[in-house]
């Protein structure tokens, strides 16, 4: 019985190829967009981490209850070993420490991110190598063989995905490690940028307090939840501190294990996109339902005839539902395919800082397909249920006597209501997109304070074992600068710890100008450590004083105009001294213009301080030891100005490698792109909301045209009589336009009210425009009205082209 209904429904759909194709395409677009965005949000925010017993996994940060702050990666081997012996709180406790290695084997030098891990972490998380073996007991102890696990990406990149990679050497920081395993392709253990894992036996390094860069990951004891575990850990920490005193404390901060690390502003952006695509899906359902309902009067007549011939009501309802589910199923299948392409495009457009440290490959997986299929089935049932129910309730004699007009009224009202819903949702999306567009215009209007055109930057981070002193690092970059000066097209070069708007770091404290009382509140401001040619290379204006000299004293600084105006509002800053908190006094030797110091999601500030490299401290990478195994890095950004930076890039690389052939060159980027990336989150949200708004607007117009075309078809006889009696074309035009625009007007009122509430969710993403900006709301309403008028005009024009005689013969 069901098979015959499916065959009959298929034949009916084939008899209406154009309308069937339109309905399938609309559903495919809605399902595809929803599947792509849901994949991104689901695999970064919603689902548990893809490890064994994820609800009991916690991230453990070292902290001190006596101090403010949330803790960090400062666990020592002694702390790890001590907490591994506390089964009342932790069933398992493992440690990891991020580190960078220079990979100089079988290819150009490459900087890779790696993790020192206690060997039990893989079994705790339930992760097994896809090739080879995990670490064995004893590996990671002093004097043991150097072994490593590598990521699937590194295995493919450096070993060509060959099985004989096992047992082959991997040269890291000049030392050979043996590859013993490859981790699964879709299992990003504790971060998607990690390529190498090296074993570390905490119990064998208990006395080494200098190794304090570890995070903890633990599985809670059975039946224990985080609040109770935190309370128990606090009590144990007090006892351990009495038994084995530490300079800081034994305190820990327990946090749920998340699938990815997402900053609060990025989390808000993802939820905004999820809400926006939810609107698109609802508009899709409403649009399909309105178009399906617009065809219902004809179907009602068919069902009346079938009922008169003996078909029961259940069979008729099932036939309509089968037809609607077939349309939805075809649209859903095509939508999943479109979703894969859409997700690839979204990930290509997404800024780097949106999501990082993801434990999954973001893709259309079984979970997303299941949700898409459920949405598809629900859509199919929803769009077919109303026509089936209302159609079978119509009296047979009235349908057969009155034709389709007698059945049209209830479906006309339903279609009109659905159009109102579509307009309201579309107006919300359009308002959000317009607010983001104004935000991006405002951001792009900011003067960066330097000339990014023609600049290219790259990270050239020098290892501590080869460049252990300030003098050695300065000599390296002096040699590079000399060689770059002979590269055709290169105009200038400089070295810094960062490029605006990121800078090198942030200072936090109370500012004090010499001779004045300290300020009352603490401030945070960016600082940068730069070479003497930095200001010239970036073309930053020197307002007063001088720039740095080749041999500069460590206690001097150059400040921005904003900093100078804050500390010395009525005097010259040059020659004056200031300090942060109780730190050393610093003499100002120059004042430069303000640069844009607002990375996405951070507060803008005109306060900037520049220091010479003679001032660098251990925080910039000066190592505690100089052995290759404990290598640290002095982080440097080489900035080169050239007539054509990308064309000069190969020669720039060769100039660096001619000084040191083993030196990796990472994160090569144009300064224009670096600056634009600071506002990448807003740009990303704008692009997607614009795309969603365009889809929604197209669906609204398609729905208007479809519904009004059905209205015109039902009122053909009436229009013919009016024209035959002398009605002017303008009167007929107003008749049909009024019906269409009344739906738009009601939808616009509802949409504006909803937008006033919902656009507040964009507050963290907006810049110099409010979520209830009247200009934006007025512009969007006017634009929607203009487009709606154009959509209503097509059915009106069709109505005016009907000859009166033909209209009077209709029905």
């Amino acid at each position: 019985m069901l098979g015959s209904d499916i065959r009959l429904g298929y034949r009916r759909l084939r008899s209406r190829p154009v309308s069937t194709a339109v309905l399938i395409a609309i559903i495919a677009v809605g399902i595809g967009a929803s599947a792509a965005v849901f994949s991104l949000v689901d695999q970064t925010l919603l689902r548990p981490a893809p490890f064994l017993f994820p609800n009991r996994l916690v991230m453990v940060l070292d902290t001190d209850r006596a101090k403010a702050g949330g803790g960090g990666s400062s666990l020592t081997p002694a702390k790890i070993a001590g907490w591994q012996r506390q089964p009342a709180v932790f069933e398992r406790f493992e440690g990891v420490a991020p580190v960078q290695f220079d990979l100089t084997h079988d290819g150009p030098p490459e900087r890779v991110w790696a993790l020192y891990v206690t060997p039990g972490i893989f079994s705790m998380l339930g992760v097994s190598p896809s090739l080879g073996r995990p670490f064995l007991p004893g590996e990671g102890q002093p004097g043991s063989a150097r072994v490593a696990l590598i990521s699937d990406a590194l295995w493919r990149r450096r070993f060509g995905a060959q099985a004989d990679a096992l047992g082959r050497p991997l040269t890291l920081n000049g030392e050979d490690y043996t590859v013993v395993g490859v981790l699964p392709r879709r299992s990003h253990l504790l971060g998607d940028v990690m390529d190498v894992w090296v074993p570390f036996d905490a119990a064998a390094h208990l006395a080494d307090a200098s190794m304090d860069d570890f995070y903890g990951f633990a599985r809670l004891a059975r039946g224990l939840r985080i609040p109770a575990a935190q309370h128990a850990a606090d009590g144990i920490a007090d006892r351990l501190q009495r038994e084995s005193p530490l300079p800081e404390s034994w305190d820990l901060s327990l946090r749920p294990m998340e699938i990815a690390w997402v900053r609060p502003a990025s989390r808000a952006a993802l939820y905004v996109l999820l809400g926006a695509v939810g609107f698109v899906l609802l508009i899709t359902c409403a649009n399909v339902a309105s178009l399906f309902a617009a065809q219902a009067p004809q179907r009602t007549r068919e069902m009346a005839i079938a009922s008169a011939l003996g078909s029961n009501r259940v069979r008729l309802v099932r036939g309509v539902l089968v037809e609607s589910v077939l349309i939805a199923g075809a649209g859903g299948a095509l939508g999943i395919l479109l979703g894969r392409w859409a997700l690839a495009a979204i990930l290509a457009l997404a800024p780097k800082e949106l999501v990082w440290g993801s434990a999954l490959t973001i893709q259309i997986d079984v979970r997303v397909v299941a949700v898409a299929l459920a949405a598809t089935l629900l859509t199919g049932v929803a769009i077919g249920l109303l026509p089936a129910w209302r159609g079978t309730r119509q009296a047979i004699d009235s349908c057969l006597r009155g034709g389709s007009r007698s059945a049209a009224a209830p479906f006309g009202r339903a279609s009109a209501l659905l159009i109102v819903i579509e307009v309201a949702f579309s107006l919300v999306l359009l308002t959000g997109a317009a607010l983001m567009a104004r935000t991006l215009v405002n951001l792009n209007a900011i003067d960066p304070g330097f000339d990014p055109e023609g600049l290219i930057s790259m990270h050239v981070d020098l290892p501590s074992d080869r460049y252990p002193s300030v003098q050695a690092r300065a000599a390296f970059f002096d040699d590079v600068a000399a060689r770059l000066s002979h590269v055709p097209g290169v105009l200038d070069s400089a070295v810094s710890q960062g490029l605006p708007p990121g800078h090198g770091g942030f200072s936090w404290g109370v500012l004090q100008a010499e001779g004045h009382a300290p300020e009352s509140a603490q401030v945070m401001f960016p600082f940068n450590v730069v070479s003497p040619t930095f200001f010239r290379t970036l073309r930053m204006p020197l307002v007063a004083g001088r720039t740095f000299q080749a041999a500069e004293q460590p206690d001097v600084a150059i400040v921005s105009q904003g900093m100078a105006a804050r500390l010395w509002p009525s005097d010259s800053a040059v020659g004056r001294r200031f300090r942060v908190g109780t730190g050393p006094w610093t003499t100002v030797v120059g004042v430069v213009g303000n640069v844009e110091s607002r990375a996405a999601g951070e507060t803008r500030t005109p306060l900037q301080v520049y220091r010479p490299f003679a001032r660098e401290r251990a925080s910039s990478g000066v190592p505690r030891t100089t052995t290759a195994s404990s290598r640290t890095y002095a982080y440097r950004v080489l900035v080169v100005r050239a007539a054509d930076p990308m064309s000069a890039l190969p020669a720039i690389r060769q100039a660096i490698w001619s000084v040191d052939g083993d030196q990796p060159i990472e994160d090569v980027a144009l300064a224009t792109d670096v600056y634009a990336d600071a506002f990448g989150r807003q740009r990303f949200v704008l692009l997607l909301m614009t795309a969603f708004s365009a889809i929604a607007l197209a669906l609204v117009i398609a729905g208007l045209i479809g519904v009004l075309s059905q209205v015109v078809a039902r009122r053909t006889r009436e229009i013919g009589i009016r024209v035959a009696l002398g009605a002017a074309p303008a009167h007929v035009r107003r008749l049909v336009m009024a019906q269409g625009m009344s739906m738009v007007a009601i939808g616009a009122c509802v949409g504006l009210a909803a937008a006033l509430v919902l656009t507040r969710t964009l507050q963290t993403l907006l810049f110099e425009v409010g979520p209830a900006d009247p200009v934006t709301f007025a512009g969007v309403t006017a634009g929607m009205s203009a487009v709606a008028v154009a959509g209503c005009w097509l059915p009106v024009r069709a109505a005016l082209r009907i000859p009166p005689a033909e209209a009077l013969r209709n029905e």
Side-chain angles (χ1 to χ4, degrees), residues 33 52 114-115 123 132 139 169 212 235 277 347 349 412 420 441 563 583 596 636 641 682 697:
L52 193 64
L115 284 175
S123 61
E139 291 180 333
D212 58 355
V277 82
L347 293 177
L349 294 171
V420 168
V441 168
M563 179 67 82
E596 174 56 28
R636 297 289 185 270
R641 182 174 293 279
Q682 287 92 336
L697 194 58

Side-chain angles (χ1 to χ4, degrees), residues 447-450 503 511 526 535 540-545 557-574 588 590-597 605-610:
D447 180 10
F450 70 104
H503 297 279
L511 288 172
F535 306 102
M540 292 173 57
L542 179 66
V543 178
I558 294 173
V559 300
S560 63
Q561 282 181 290
M563 179 67 82
R566 176 158 182 159
L567 293 177
W568 302 280
S570 57
D571 298 315
S572 172
V574 178
V588 176
V591 179
V592 294
N594 298 334
V595 298
E596 174 56 28
S597 297
T605 176
L607 311 178
Q608 295 119 31
V609 174
Y610 304 88

Side-chain angles (χ1 to χ4, degrees), residues 114 224 237 241 249 332 362 390 431 535 603 651 654 659 801 811:
L224 203 59
Q241 183 65 21
S249 74
I362 299 174
R390 295 299 296 266
T431 303
F535 306 102
T603 303
Q654 288 303 318
V659 178
R801 288 183 174 180
E811 297 198 27

Side-chain angles (χ1 to χ4, degrees), residues 351-409:
K352 294 179 181 179
E353 75 275 3
L354 187 71
V355 175
W356 56 288
S358 175
L360 274 179
T361 299
I362 299 174
Q363 60 183 345
I364 303 288
D365 63 1
V366 175
R367 177 181 168 115
V368 177
V369 171
V371 172
L373 291 178
T376 298
L377 180 62
L378 183 62
T379 300
V381 173
I383 65 177
L385 196 58
L386 177 63
W389 180 68
R390 295 299 296 266
T392 56
R393 285 172 57 89
Q394 294 291 323
I396 297 175
D397 57 345
S398 64
C399 288
L400 296 180
R401 285 198 309 267
S404 61
R405 283 180 295 147
S406 62

Side-chain angles (χ1 to χ4, degrees), residues 283-307:
I283 292 170
T284 298
C285 294
N287 189 269
V288 173
S290 67
L291 294 178
F292 206 72
Q295 299 173 1
Q298 180 61 34
R299 288 299 309 274
T300 300
R301 184 177 175 84
E302 294 174 4
M303 286 189 287
I305 295 173
S307 180

Side-chain angles (χ1 to χ4, degrees), residues 79-98:
K79 285 188 178 183
I80 294 172
W83 283 107
Q84 285 176 335
R85 296 190 295 269
Q86 307 301 325
V89 180
F90 303 115
E91 184 178 286
R92 300 281 298 274
F93 192 105
E94 306 293 339
V96 304

Side-chain angles (χ1 to χ4, degrees), residues 168-537:
R168 290 176 59 179
L170 193 70
T171 305
L172 303 172
N173 288 358
E175 298 175 339
D176 285 340
Y177 289 72
T178 301
V179 177
V180 298
V182 179
L183 289 181
R185 182 174 187 178
R186 294 175 181 173
S187 179
H188 300 309
L189 182 58
L190 311 181
D192 55 356
V193 298
M194 300 300 172
D195 276 323
V196 178
W197 291 263
V198 176
F200 176 83
D201 191 330
H205 296 81
L206 295 179
D208 192 348
S210 68
M211 305 182 72
D212 58 355
D213 298 324
F214 283 85
Y215 292 97
F217 290 92
R219 183 192 300 161
L220 297 179
R222 293 182 183 274
L224 203 59
R225 296 292 180 261
I226 291 180
Q230 183 68 68
H231 179 74
D234 290 343
I236 294 174
D238 293 337
R239 175 175 59 81
L240 291 174
Q241 183 65 21
R242 292 192 300 269
E243 296 173 354
S244 304
L246 296 175
E248 297 295 333
S249 74
W250 282 86
D251 292 335
L252 300 177
S253 174
L254 307 183
R255 299 183 182 180
M257 181 76 167
E258 296 183 347
I259 190 173
W261 294 328
V262 184
R263 293 180 176 90
S266 296
R267 188 179 297 268
L270 290 173
Y271 279 127
V272 165
L273 293 178
L274 185 62
V277 82
F279 278 150
V280 171
L281 185 59
L282 291 174
I283 292 170
T284 298
C285 294
N287 189 269
V288 173
S290 67
L291 294 178
F292 206 72
Q295 299 173 1
Q298 180 61 34
R299 288 299 309 274
T300 300
R301 184 177 175 84
E302 294 174 4
M303 286 189 287
I305 295 173
S307 180
L309 295 176
S311 294
N312 60 46
R313 187 176 183 183
V314 174
R315 176 70 185 274
L316 295 175
V317 170
R318 190 172 61 210
V320 177
L321 289 179
V322 164
E323 188 174 335
S324 64
V325 169
L326 284 175
I327 291 175
L334 180 59
I336 292 172
L337 181 61
L338 290 177
R340 295 184 62 182
W341 297 336
L343 181 59
I346 288 173
L347 293 177
L349 294 171
K352 294 179 181 179
E353 75 275 3
L354 187 71
V355 175
W356 56 288
S358 175
L360 274 179
T361 299
I362 299 174
Q363 60 183 345
I364 303 288
D365 63 1
V366 175
R367 177 181 168 115
V368 177
V369 171
V371 172
L373 291 178
T376 298
L377 180 62
L378 183 62
T379 300
V381 173
I383 65 177
L385 196 58
L386 177 63
W389 180 68
R390 295 299 296 266
T392 56
R393 285 172 57 89
Q394 294 291 323
I396 297 175
D397 57 345
S398 64
C399 288
L400 296 180
R401 285 198 309 267
S404 61
R405 283 180 295 147
S406 62
F411 296 109
R413 288 192 295 270
S415 296
L417 177 61
L418 292 169
I419 290 296
V420 168
I421 294 172
E422 288 183 55
V423 171
F425 286 160
S426 298
L427 197 65
V428 173
L429 287 177
L430 287 168
T431 303
L435 288 172
M436 292 306 303
R438 291 200 62 187
T439 289
L440 202 58
V441 168
N442 293 337
L443 290 173
N444 289 333
I446 297 173
D447 180 10
F450 70 104
D451 182 8
E453 296 295 334
L455 284 179
I456 190 169
S457 67
M458 58 206 74
H459 281 262
V460 184
D461 304 330
L462 302 182
S464 58
D465 55 314
R466 297 207 307 269
Y467 302 95
S469 65
V470 174
Q471 293 75 17
R473 294 189 284 277
F476 170 86
F477 283 108
D478 287 344
D479 199 355
V480 169
R483 294 170 190 259
L484 287 175
S485 65
H486 296 92
V487 174
V490 170
L491 306 177
D492 218 333
S493 66
V495 183
S496 69
Q497 284 191 319
L499 191 67
H503 297 279
F506 288 91
S507 288
W508 173 266
V510 174
L511 288 172
Q512 180 183 6
E514 189 176 26
H516 296 79
E519 293 188 354
S520 58
Q522 293 184 328
V523 295
M524 178 181 286
F525 58 90
F527 71 87
N528 206 345
V529 182
V530 302
S531 66
T533 58
F534 179 80
F535 306 102
R536 184 183 70 205
T537 302

